[in-house]
Amino acid sequence: MRASRLERVGTYAVLAVFTAYALYPVLAILFTALRPEVVGQGGVHWENFAKAWHEGNFGSYLGTSAIVSGSVVAISVVLSVLAGYAFGTMRFRGHQALFYLMLLGIMVPAEAIVVPLYFDLRDLGLTNSYLALIGPQVAQSVAFGAFWMRTYFSSASRSVVEAARLDGAGHWQTLWRVLLPMGRPALVTLIVMVFMWTWNEFLLALVMVTDEALRTAPLGLRFFSGRAVTSVPLLAAASVLVALPVVLVYLFLQRHFIRGMLDGAVKG
Amino acid sequence: MAVAEPRRVGYLYILPALLVYGLFLLFPLLHSGWISLFSWDGLTVGTFVGLDNYAALAADVGFLAAFGHVAVLLVFFAVLPVSIGLVLATALSRTRIRGMAFFRTALFLPQVVAMVVVAIAWQRIFAPDGALNDLLRLVGLDGLVTAWLGESGTALIAVGLVGTWVQTGLAVVLFLGGIGKISGELFDAVRLDGGGVVREFRTVVLPALRAEIGVALTLTVIAALRTFDLVYVMTPQGGPGGSTTVPSYEIYHRAFHSGQVGSAAAIGITLTALAFLITFGITKVTGRDR
């Protein structure tokens, strides 16, 4: 027995207060999204979502976000696995220096590189392109991903790799047939994190994109909220649409996700 | 440990990652350093001015104000969440909690919601007819009712409070994880010794959580330093009377609206250097080895 009954009640009370505090803004926007647009009308208005979708052109924004996030996740996960594998299991001249060079990228704030990126891409005629949205985010994700996957590969059991070797597997097969299937938890965490970062990204899209067809969901939401005619329930509905994909993934993978994120942070 | 073995093929494995990284991160960073040495409006040919942009920042009222605002935000983004997190995690560590998974999911939720959405949600709460003013009227504090984001005296604090909301869950979850690893016998020993909560906190919790505190401080301080989405959406154009400008906003504004690209790059490089210093500094103090 470590705690008295009173203490236990107190603990739950404190926990409840903080949980309510954490949830309130999120639930408030959810309930606002279901409110009638005209004050005084009653009822639950699910049609707000459809209306926000059409009026705010969110089909296009969410589509762009899906393309950008999908591409960034796919490319950076493959590149991170390859680089992490080499950094974690192989020794070659300069491997340490190269690793630290990439690690540097975790600490470089996007604010510092967005200015030259814009002017360089402008000179190449590449602002307002998927490349401008995808390239920089792959680079940032790979900096973290190479570090993250290296941690996994260097902790993978040596005997497993040797067994694979005895079975005649080369370094390529060892990676894809043996180590990667075993490393699913590390991989899923990486995928979820990169997806979250990319989906929620705002500054890069704000700077790179003036073409409405290429607006990402957060950027589109910013424009939607800036319109004077947007009603509060519709703005709330649009906010829910933009936040939903990441929140859904989070709800399904949260245990795994929090554990991975904090492990990564403590190790990093 | 690793199956480290000499293999040249390693170069091939890292090549694609290194290529993208070099092209879209390393090169822009170096280029940013180069641009910061020029007086350039982004359109015409720039003139080389050496370190003048950096020197000018030291006397630049707008830039200094932005850093002053970040100093205030640090309290809300880092000091408050870490303090609240420590107290809360300690309080929670004394009881076995049922349904912890639910509480953890809820507390951590603010971390995964897009900042633009967070900004819009809190904009409603801080609105003149919003929930905060309703609450104040309800408890009889009518004198405090104000347009929180519209007044130069309160806008920055309002933004800061959102930062506290976002970061507290991160700190709590981090610390709970750390406390979970402390052996229960240590707590029992303090209690048998007649020690109370305070002593338990000082002698058991605090030393055991050094690494976690380091991580929480690094993440939250960097987040405060980099704040952009929140201020940009909640308080457009730098807020009432420019009261919520931050370095990231100054970078954006100077580079893309006022034609001071060199100065913007100089702020970017300064910010990067600061982020490095803080990360290494906190790592050193809390003894977290990378």
PDB file of all heavy atoms in Angstrom, chain A residues 30-61:
ATOM      1  N   LEU A  30     -14.752  20.976 -31.804  1.00  0.00           N
ATOM      2  CA  LEU A  30     -15.581  19.907 -32.353  1.00  0.00           C
ATOM      3  C   LEU A  30     -17.066  20.246 -32.183  1.00  0.00           C
ATOM      4  O   LEU A  30     -17.868  20.107 -33.110  1.00  0.00           O
ATOM      5  CB  LEU A  30     -15.243  18.594 -31.640  1.00  0.00           C
ATOM      6  CG  LEU A  30     -15.719  17.310 -32.289  1.00  0.00           C
ATOM      7  CD1 LEU A  30     -15.150  17.166 -33.689  1.00  0.00           C
ATOM      8  CD2 LEU A  30     -15.300  16.107 -31.443  1.00  0.00           C
ATOM      9  N   PHE A  31     -17.443  20.709 -30.991  1.00  0.00           N
ATOM     10  CA  PHE A  31     -18.844  21.064 -30.755  1.00  0.00           C
ATOM     11  C   PHE A  31     -19.247  22.298 -31.558  1.00  0.00           C
ATOM     12  O   PHE A  31     -20.349  22.364 -32.094  1.00  0.00           O
ATOM     13  CB  PHE A  31     -19.088  21.298 -29.256  1.00  0.00           C
ATOM     14  CG  PHE A  31     -19.096  20.028 -28.468  1.00  0.00           C
ATOM     15  CD1 PHE A  31     -18.315  19.879 -27.337  1.00  0.00           C
ATOM     16  CD2 PHE A  31     -19.885  18.952 -28.878  1.00  0.00           C
ATOM     17  CE1 PHE A  31     -18.300  18.686 -26.622  1.00  0.00           C
ATOM     18  CE2 PHE A  31     -19.881  17.755 -28.175  1.00  0.00           C
ATOM     19  CZ  PHE A  31     -19.091  17.634 -27.045  1.00  0.00           C
ATOM     20  N   THR A  32     -18.338  23.264 -31.660  1.00  0.00           N
ATOM     21  CA  THR A  32     -18.627  24.457 -32.456  1.00  0.00           C
ATOM     22  C   THR A  32     -18.907  24.070 -33.907  1.00  0.00           C
ATOM     23  O   THR A  32     -19.759  24.658 -34.564  1.00  0.00           O
ATOM     24  CB  THR A  32     -17.452  25.447 -32.400  1.00  0.00           C
ATOM     25  OG1 THR A  32     -17.130  25.690 -31.037  1.00  0.00           O
ATOM     26  CG2 THR A  32     -17.808  26.759 -33.080  1.00  0.00           C
ATOM     27  N   ALA A  33     -18.185  23.062 -34.381  1.00  0.00           N
ATOM     28  CA  ALA A  33     -18.339  22.626 -35.770  1.00  0.00           C
ATOM     29  C   ALA A  33     -19.730  22.067 -36.033  1.00  0.00           C
ATOM     30  O   ALA A  33     -20.180  22.046 -37.178  1.00  0.00           O
ATOM     31  CB  ALA A  33     -17.277  21.581 -36.108  1.00  0.00           C
ATOM     32  N   LEU A  34     -20.405  21.620 -34.975  1.00  0.00           N
ATOM     33  CA  LEU A  34     -21.734  21.025 -35.142  1.00  0.00           C
ATOM     34  C   LEU A  34     -22.855  22.012 -34.840  1.00  0.00           C
ATOM     35  O   LEU A  34     -24.037  21.683 -34.940  1.00  0.00           O
ATOM     36  CB  LEU A  34     -21.858  19.797 -34.234  1.00  0.00           C
ATOM     37  CG  LEU A  34     -20.892  18.655 -34.567  1.00  0.00           C
ATOM     38  CD1 LEU A  34     -20.913  17.583 -33.500  1.00  0.00           C
ATOM     39  CD2 LEU A  34     -21.234  18.056 -35.931  1.00  0.00           C
ATOM     40  N   ARG A  35     -22.488  23.235 -34.468  1.00  0.00           N
ATOM     41  CA  ARG A  35     -23.491  24.233 -34.108  1.00  0.00           C
ATOM     42  C   ARG A  35     -24.142  24.805 -35.352  1.00  0.00           C
ATOM     43  O   ARG A  35     -23.541  24.809 -36.422  1.00  0.00           O
ATOM     44  CB  ARG A  35     -22.805  25.371 -33.337  1.00  0.00           C
ATOM     45  CG  ARG A  35     -23.171  25.415 -31.867  1.00  0.00           C
ATOM     46  CD  ARG A  35     -22.384  26.460 -31.135  1.00  0.00           C
ATOM     47  NE  ARG A  35     -22.071  27.637 -31.941  1.00  0.00           N
ATOM     48  CZ  ARG A  35     -21.146  28.535 -31.611  1.00  0.00           C
ATOM     49  NH1 ARG A  35     -20.468  28.381 -30.510  1.00  0.00           N
ATOM     50  NH2 ARG A  35     -20.920  29.583 -32.379  1.00  0.00           N
ATOM     51  N   PRO A  36     -25.367  25.309 -35.218  1.00  0.00           N
ATOM     52  CA  PRO A  36     -25.999  25.946 -36.378  1.00  0.00           C
ATOM     53  C   PRO A  36     -25.261  27.227 -36.759  1.00  0.00           C
ATOM     54  O   PRO A  36     -24.691  27.894 -35.903  1.00  0.00           O
ATOM     55  CB  PRO A  36     -27.407  26.256 -35.885  1.00  0.00           C
ATOM     56  CG  PRO A  36     -27.299  26.299 -34.404  1.00  0.00           C
ATOM     57  CD  PRO A  36     -26.242  25.298 -34.042  1.00  0.00           C
ATOM     58  N   GLU A  37     -25.272  27.532 -38.055  1.00  0.00           N
ATOM     59  CA  GLU A  37     -24.616  28.766 -38.503  1.00  0.00           C
ATOM     60  C   GLU A  37     -25.387  30.000 -38.074  1.00  0.00           C
ATOM     61  O   GLU A  37     -24.818  31.053 -37.829  1.00  0.00           O
ATOM     62  CB  GLU A  37     -24.471  28.749 -40.027  1.00  0.00           C
ATOM     63  CG  GLU A  37     -23.276  27.994 -40.515  1.00  0.00           C
ATOM     64  CD  GLU A  37     -22.996  28.326 -41.960  1.00  0.00           C
ATOM     65  OE1 GLU A  37     -22.319  29.343 -42.197  1.00  0.00           O
ATOM     66  OE2 GLU A  37     -23.479  27.599 -42.845  1.00  0.00           O
ATOM     67  N   VAL A  38     -26.705  29.846 -38.040  1.00  0.00           N
ATOM     68  CA  VAL A  38     -27.535  30.971 -37.620  1.00  0.00           C
ATOM     69  C   VAL A  38     -27.843  30.818 -36.133  1.00  0.00           C
ATOM     70  O   VAL A  38     -28.350  29.788 -35.705  1.00  0.00           O
ATOM     71  CB  VAL A  38     -28.862  31.001 -38.410  1.00  0.00           C
ATOM     72  CG1 VAL A  38     -29.716  32.194 -37.983  1.00  0.00           C
ATOM     73  CG2 VAL A  38     -28.585  31.028 -39.901  1.00  0.00           C
ATOM     74  N   VAL A  39     -27.490  31.833 -35.360  1.00  0.00           N
ATOM     75  CA  VAL A  39     -27.704  31.764 -33.920  1.00  0.00           C
ATOM     76  C   VAL A  39     -29.195  31.625 -33.636  1.00  0.00           C
ATOM     77  O   VAL A  39     -30.019  32.303 -34.259  1.00  0.00           O
ATOM     78  CB  VAL A  39     -27.158  33.026 -33.231  1.00  0.00           C
ATOM     79  CG1 VAL A  39     -27.331  32.910 -31.705  1.00  0.00           C
ATOM     80  CG2 VAL A  39     -25.686  33.203 -33.579  1.00  0.00           C
ATOM     81  N   GLY A  40     -29.545  30.749 -32.699  1.00  0.00           N
ATOM     82  CA  GLY A  40     -30.941  30.583 -32.355  1.00  0.00           C
ATOM     83  C   GLY A  40     -31.523  29.302 -32.884  1.00  0.00           C
ATOM     84  O   GLY A  40     -32.430  28.735 -32.293  1.00  0.00           O
ATOM     85  N   GLN A  41     -30.992  28.825 -34.021  1.00  0.00           N
ATOM     86  CA  GLN A  41     -31.438  27.527 -34.515  1.00  0.00           C
ATOM     87  C   GLN A  41     -30.878  26.437 -33.618  1.00  0.00           C
ATOM     88  O   GLN A  41     -29.815  26.590 -33.034  1.00  0.00           O
ATOM     89  CB  GLN A  41     -30.908  27.294 -35.933  1.00  0.00           C
ATOM     90  CG  GLN A  41     -31.824  27.824 -37.016  1.00  0.00           C
ATOM     91  CD  GLN A  41     -31.225  27.579 -38.388  1.00  0.00           C
ATOM     92  OE1 GLN A  41     -30.203  26.916 -38.521  1.00  0.00           O
ATOM     93  NE2 GLN A  41     -31.867  28.128 -39.392  1.00  0.00           N
ATOM     94  N   GLY A  42     -31.596  25.347 -33.525  1.00  0.00           N
ATOM     95  CA  GLY A  42     -31.084  24.269 -32.689  1.00  0.00           C
ATOM     96  C   GLY A  42     -30.532  23.136 -33.522  1.00  0.00           C
ATOM     97  O   GLY A  42     -30.335  23.268 -34.721  1.00  0.00           O
ATOM     98  N   GLY A  43     -30.255  22.057 -32.849  1.00  0.00           N
ATOM     99  CA  GLY A  43     -29.887  20.846 -33.567  1.00  0.00           C
ATOM    100  C   GLY A  43     -28.406  20.670 -33.803  1.00  0.00           C
ATOM    101  O   GLY A  43     -27.600  21.562 -33.568  1.00  0.00           O
ATOM    102  N   VAL A  44     -28.096  19.465 -34.271  1.00  0.00           N
ATOM    103  CA  VAL A  44     -26.711  19.122 -34.583  1.00  0.00           C
ATOM    104  C   VAL A  44     -26.542  19.195 -36.092  1.00  0.00           C
ATOM    105  O   VAL A  44     -27.319  18.606 -36.837  1.00  0.00           O
ATOM    106  CB  VAL A  44     -26.390  17.707 -34.076  1.00  0.00           C
ATOM    107  CG1 VAL A  44     -24.989  17.297 -34.483  1.00  0.00           C
ATOM    108  CG2 VAL A  44     -26.551  17.652 -32.566  1.00  0.00           C
ATOM    109  N   HIS A  45     -25.548  19.943 -36.542  1.00  0.00           N
ATOM    110  CA  HIS A  45     -25.452  20.234 -37.976  1.00  0.00           C
ATOM    111  C   HIS A  45     -24.234  19.596 -38.626  1.00  0.00           C
ATOM    112  O   HIS A  45     -23.219  20.248 -38.867  1.00  0.00           O
ATOM    113  CB  HIS A  45     -25.455  21.748 -38.185  1.00  0.00           C
ATOM    114  CG  HIS A  45     -26.753  22.376 -37.790  1.00  0.00           C
ATOM    115  ND1 HIS A  45     -27.701  22.770 -38.690  1.00  0.00           N
ATOM    116  CD2 HIS A  45     -27.277  22.629 -36.566  1.00  0.00           C
ATOM    117  CE1 HIS A  45     -28.752  23.256 -38.061  1.00  0.00           C
ATOM    118  NE2 HIS A  45     -28.529  23.186 -36.759  1.00  0.00           N
ATOM    119  N   TRP A  46     -24.386  18.307 -38.960  1.00  0.00           N
ATOM    120  CA  TRP A  46     -23.286  17.599 -39.613  1.00  0.00           C
ATOM    121  C   TRP A  46     -22.990  18.182 -40.984  1.00  0.00           C
ATOM    122  O   TRP A  46     -21.880  18.032 -41.500  1.00  0.00           O
ATOM    123  CB  TRP A  46     -23.633  16.112 -39.753  1.00  0.00           C
ATOM    124  CG  TRP A  46     -23.685  15.402 -38.434  1.00  0.00           C
ATOM    125  CD1 TRP A  46     -24.798  15.120 -37.706  1.00  0.00           C
ATOM    126  CD2 TRP A  46     -22.565  14.943 -37.666  1.00  0.00           C
ATOM    127  NE1 TRP A  46     -24.444  14.496 -36.532  1.00  0.00           N
ATOM    128  CE2 TRP A  46     -23.085  14.363 -36.480  1.00  0.00           C
ATOM    129  CE3 TRP A  46     -21.186  14.947 -37.865  1.00  0.00           C
ATOM    130  CZ2 TRP A  46     -22.271  13.805 -35.503  1.00  0.00           C
ATOM    131  CZ3 TRP A  46     -20.375  14.381 -36.892  1.00  0.00           C
ATOM    132  CH2 TRP A  46     -20.903  13.829 -35.724  1.00  0.00           C
ATOM    133  N   GLU A  47     -23.993  18.840 -41.579  1.00  0.00           N
ATOM    134  CA  GLU A  47     -23.775  19.351 -42.936  1.00  0.00           C
ATOM    135  C   GLU A  47     -22.723  20.465 -42.965  1.00  0.00           C
ATOM    136  O   GLU A  47     -22.237  20.825 -44.030  1.00  0.00           O
ATOM    137  CB  GLU A  47     -25.096  19.837 -43.548  1.00  0.00           C
ATOM    138  CG  GLU A  47     -25.624  21.161 -43.025  1.00  0.00           C
ATOM    139  CD  GLU A  47     -26.432  20.998 -41.734  1.00  0.00           C
ATOM    140  OE1 GLU A  47     -26.435  19.884 -41.168  1.00  0.00           O
ATOM    141  OE2 GLU A  47     -27.043  21.979 -41.290  1.00  0.00           O
ATOM    142  N   ASN A  48     -22.365  20.996 -41.801  1.00  0.00           N
ATOM    143  CA  ASN A  48     -21.308  22.014 -41.760  1.00  0.00           C
ATOM    144  C   ASN A  48     -20.012  21.513 -42.387  1.00  0.00           C
ATOM    145  O   ASN A  48     -19.289  22.265 -43.032  1.00  0.00           O
ATOM    146  CB  ASN A  48     -21.015  22.437 -40.312  1.00  0.00           C
ATOM    147  CG  ASN A  48     -22.116  23.330 -39.753  1.00  0.00           C
ATOM    148  OD1 ASN A  48     -22.943  23.845 -40.512  1.00  0.00           O
ATOM    149  ND2 ASN A  48     -22.119  23.513 -38.446  1.00  0.00           N
ATOM    150  N   PHE A  49     -19.740  20.226 -42.176  1.00  0.00           N
ATOM    151  CA  PHE A  49     -18.500  19.681 -42.720  1.00  0.00           C
ATOM    152  C   PHE A  49     -18.524  19.707 -44.247  1.00  0.00           C
ATOM    153  O   PHE A  49     -17.558  20.120 -44.888  1.00  0.00           O
ATOM    154  CB  PHE A  49     -18.278  18.250 -42.217  1.00  0.00           C
ATOM    155  CG  PHE A  49     -17.932  18.195 -40.760  1.00  0.00           C
ATOM    156  CD1 PHE A  49     -18.870  17.800 -39.821  1.00  0.00           C
ATOM    157  CD2 PHE A  49     -16.666  18.575 -40.326  1.00  0.00           C
ATOM    158  CE1 PHE A  49     -18.552  17.763 -38.474  1.00  0.00           C
ATOM    159  CE2 PHE A  49     -16.342  18.546 -38.980  1.00  0.00           C
ATOM    160  CZ  PHE A  49     -17.294  18.141 -38.048  1.00  0.00           C
ATOM    161  N   ALA A  50     -19.624  19.258 -44.815  1.00  0.00           N
ATOM    162  CA  ALA A  50     -19.748  19.254 -46.277  1.00  0.00           C
ATOM    163  C   ALA A  50     -19.686  20.681 -46.817  1.00  0.00           C
ATOM    164  O   ALA A  50     -19.040  20.959 -47.824  1.00  0.00           O
ATOM    165  CB  ALA A  50     -21.059  18.585 -46.681  1.00  0.00           C
ATOM    166  N   LYS A  51     -20.343  21.592 -46.099  1.00  0.00           N
ATOM    167  CA  LYS A  51     -20.391  22.980 -46.555  1.00  0.00           C
ATOM    168  C   LYS A  51     -19.000  23.612 -46.501  1.00  0.00           C
ATOM    169  O   LYS A  51     -18.585  24.306 -47.445  1.00  0.00           O
ATOM    170  CB  LYS A  51     -21.354  23.768 -45.663  1.00  0.00           C
ATOM    171  CG  LYS A  51     -22.079  24.839 -46.421  1.00  0.00           C
ATOM    172  CD  LYS A  51     -23.207  25.444 -45.607  1.00  0.00           C
ATOM    173  CE  LYS A  51     -23.512  26.824 -46.127  1.00  0.00           C
ATOM    174  NZ  LYS A  51     -24.244  27.644 -45.163  1.00  0.00           N
ATOM    175  N   ALA A  52     -18.279  23.368 -45.406  1.00  0.00           N
ATOM    176  CA  ALA A  52     -16.915  23.899 -45.277  1.00  0.00           C
ATOM    177  C   ALA A  52     -16.026  23.310 -46.364  1.00  0.00           C
ATOM    178  O   ALA A  52     -15.219  24.001 -46.982  1.00  0.00           O
ATOM    179  CB  ALA A  52     -16.344  23.578 -43.900  1.00  0.00           C
ATOM    180  N   TRP A  53     -16.219  22.014 -46.603  1.00  0.00           N
ATOM    181  CA  TRP A  53     -15.444  21.302 -47.634  1.00  0.00           C
ATOM    182  C   TRP A  53     -15.594  22.003 -48.984  1.00  0.00           C
ATOM    183  O   TRP A  53     -14.606  22.280 -49.674  1.00  0.00           O
ATOM    184  CB  TRP A  53     -15.920  19.854 -47.692  1.00  0.00           C
ATOM    185  CG  TRP A  53     -15.241  19.001 -48.723  1.00  0.00           C
ATOM    186  CD1 TRP A  53     -15.403  19.055 -50.071  1.00  0.00           C
ATOM    187  CD2 TRP A  53     -14.266  17.981 -48.481  1.00  0.00           C
ATOM    188  NE1 TRP A  53     -14.613  18.122 -50.686  1.00  0.00           N
ATOM    189  CE2 TRP A  53     -13.899  17.447 -49.729  1.00  0.00           C
ATOM    190  CE3 TRP A  53     -13.687  17.452 -47.315  1.00  0.00           C
ATOM    191  CZ2 TRP A  53     -12.969  16.416 -49.864  1.00  0.00           C
ATOM    192  CZ3 TRP A  53     -12.774  16.427 -47.454  1.00  0.00           C
ATOM    193  CH2 TRP A  53     -12.411  15.920 -48.710  1.00  0.00           C
ATOM    194  N   HIS A  54     -16.839  22.329 -49.359  1.00  0.00           N
ATOM    195  CA  HIS A  54     -17.079  22.945 -50.657  1.00  0.00           C
ATOM    196  C   HIS A  54     -16.706  24.419 -50.684  1.00  0.00           C
ATOM    197  O   HIS A  54     -15.981  24.866 -51.557  1.00  0.00           O
ATOM    198  CB  HIS A  54     -18.552  22.768 -51.050  1.00  0.00           C
ATOM    199  CG  HIS A  54     -18.895  21.351 -51.369  1.00  0.00           C
ATOM    200  ND1 HIS A  54     -18.261  20.649 -52.369  1.00  0.00           N
ATOM    201  CD2 HIS A  54     -19.772  20.483 -50.812  1.00  0.00           C
ATOM    202  CE1 HIS A  54     -18.733  19.414 -52.414  1.00  0.00           C
ATOM    203  NE2 HIS A  54     -19.654  19.292 -51.469  1.00  0.00           N
ATOM    204  N   GLU A  55     -17.194  25.164 -49.701  1.00  0.00           N
ATOM    205  CA  GLU A  55     -16.940  26.612 -49.699  1.00  0.00           C
ATOM    206  C   GLU A  55     -15.464  26.929 -49.566  1.00  0.00           C
ATOM    207  O   GLU A  55     -14.961  27.903 -50.120  1.00  0.00           O
ATOM    208  CB  GLU A  55     -17.718  27.276 -48.563  1.00  0.00           C
ATOM    209  CG  GLU A  55     -19.164  27.526 -48.923  1.00  0.00           C
ATOM    210  CD  GLU A  55     -19.865  28.365 -47.867  1.00  0.00           C
ATOM    211  OE1 GLU A  55     -19.174  29.051 -47.096  1.00  0.00           O
ATOM    212  OE2 GLU A  55     -21.103  28.306 -47.831  1.00  0.00           O
ATOM    213  N   GLY A  56     -14.766  26.110 -48.769  1.00  0.00           N
ATOM    214  CA  GLY A  56     -13.348  26.394 -48.521  1.00  0.00           C
ATOM    215  C   GLY A  56     -12.426  25.697 -49.489  1.00  0.00           C
ATOM    216  O   GLY A  56     -11.219  25.825 -49.392  1.00  0.00           O
ATOM    217  N   ASN A  57     -12.983  24.938 -50.428  1.00  0.00           N
ATOM    218  CA  ASN A  57     -12.154  24.238 -51.403  1.00  0.00           C
ATOM    219  C   ASN A  57     -11.216  23.236 -50.736  1.00  0.00           C
ATOM    220  O   ASN A  57     -10.065  23.057 -51.151  1.00  0.00           O
ATOM    221  CB  ASN A  57     -11.341  25.265 -52.218  1.00  0.00           C
ATOM    222  CG  ASN A  57     -10.859  24.690 -53.535  1.00  0.00           C
ATOM    223  OD1 ASN A  57     -11.333  23.637 -53.961  1.00  0.00           O
ATOM    224  ND2 ASN A  57      -9.919  25.364 -54.165  1.00  0.00           N
ATOM    225  N   PHE A  58     -11.678  22.613 -49.661  1.00  0.00           N
ATOM    226  CA  PHE A  58     -10.795  21.738 -48.895  1.00  0.00           C
ATOM    227  C   PHE A  58     -10.498  20.421 -49.589  1.00  0.00           C
ATOM    228  O   PHE A  58      -9.523  19.756 -49.240  1.00  0.00           O
ATOM    229  CB  PHE A  58     -11.334  21.527 -47.480  1.00  0.00           C
ATOM    230  CG  PHE A  58     -10.956  22.656 -46.575  1.00  0.00           C
ATOM    231  CD1 PHE A  58     -11.809  23.725 -46.386  1.00  0.00           C
ATOM    232  CD2 PHE A  58      -9.716  22.680 -45.971  1.00  0.00           C
ATOM    233  CE1 PHE A  58     -11.425  24.797 -45.593  1.00  0.00           C
ATOM    234  CE2 PHE A  58      -9.327  23.738 -45.179  1.00  0.00           C
ATOM    235  CZ  PHE A  58     -10.193  24.796 -44.985  1.00  0.00           C
ATOM    236  N   GLY A  59     -11.336  20.044 -50.569  1.00  0.00           N
ATOM    237  CA  GLY A  59     -11.007  18.851 -51.336  1.00  0.00           C
ATOM    238  C   GLY A  59      -9.631  18.993 -51.960  1.00  0.00           C
ATOM    239  O   GLY A  59      -8.794  18.092 -51.892  1.00  0.00           O
ATOM    240  N   SER A  60      -9.395  20.170 -52.532  1.00  0.00           N
ATOM    241  CA  SER A  60      -8.111  20.435 -53.176  1.00  0.00           C
ATOM    242  C   SER A  60      -6.977  20.505 -52.155  1.00  0.00           C
ATOM    243  O   SER A  60      -5.913  19.907 -52.334  1.00  0.00           O
ATOM    244  CB  SER A  60      -8.207  21.751 -53.957  1.00  0.00           C
ATOM    245  OG  SER A  60      -6.931  22.284 -54.181  1.00  0.00           O
ATOM    246  N   TYR A  61      -7.207  21.245 -51.043  1.00  0.00           N
ATOM    247  CA  TYR A  61      -6.142  21.413 -50.042  1.00  0.00           C
ATOM    248  C   TYR A  61      -5.753  20.080 -49.407  1.00  0.00           C
ATOM    249  O   TYR A  61      -4.571  19.767 -49.244  1.00  0.00           O
ATOM    250  CB  TYR A  61      -6.580  22.378 -48.933  1.00  0.00           C
ATOM    251  CG  TYR A  61      -7.042  23.733 -49.415  1.00  0.00           C
ATOM    252  CD1 TYR A  61      -7.915  24.487 -48.650  1.00  0.00           C
ATOM    253  CD2 TYR A  61      -6.590  24.253 -50.624  1.00  0.00           C
ATOM    254  CE1 TYR A  61      -8.346  25.737 -49.070  1.00  0.00           C
ATOM    255  CE2 TYR A  61      -7.017  25.495 -51.063  1.00  0.00           C
ATOM    256  CZ  TYR A  61      -7.905  26.237 -50.287  1.00  0.00           C
ATOM    257  OH  TYR A  61      -8.332  27.465 -50.704  1.00  0.00           O
TER     258      TYR A  61
END
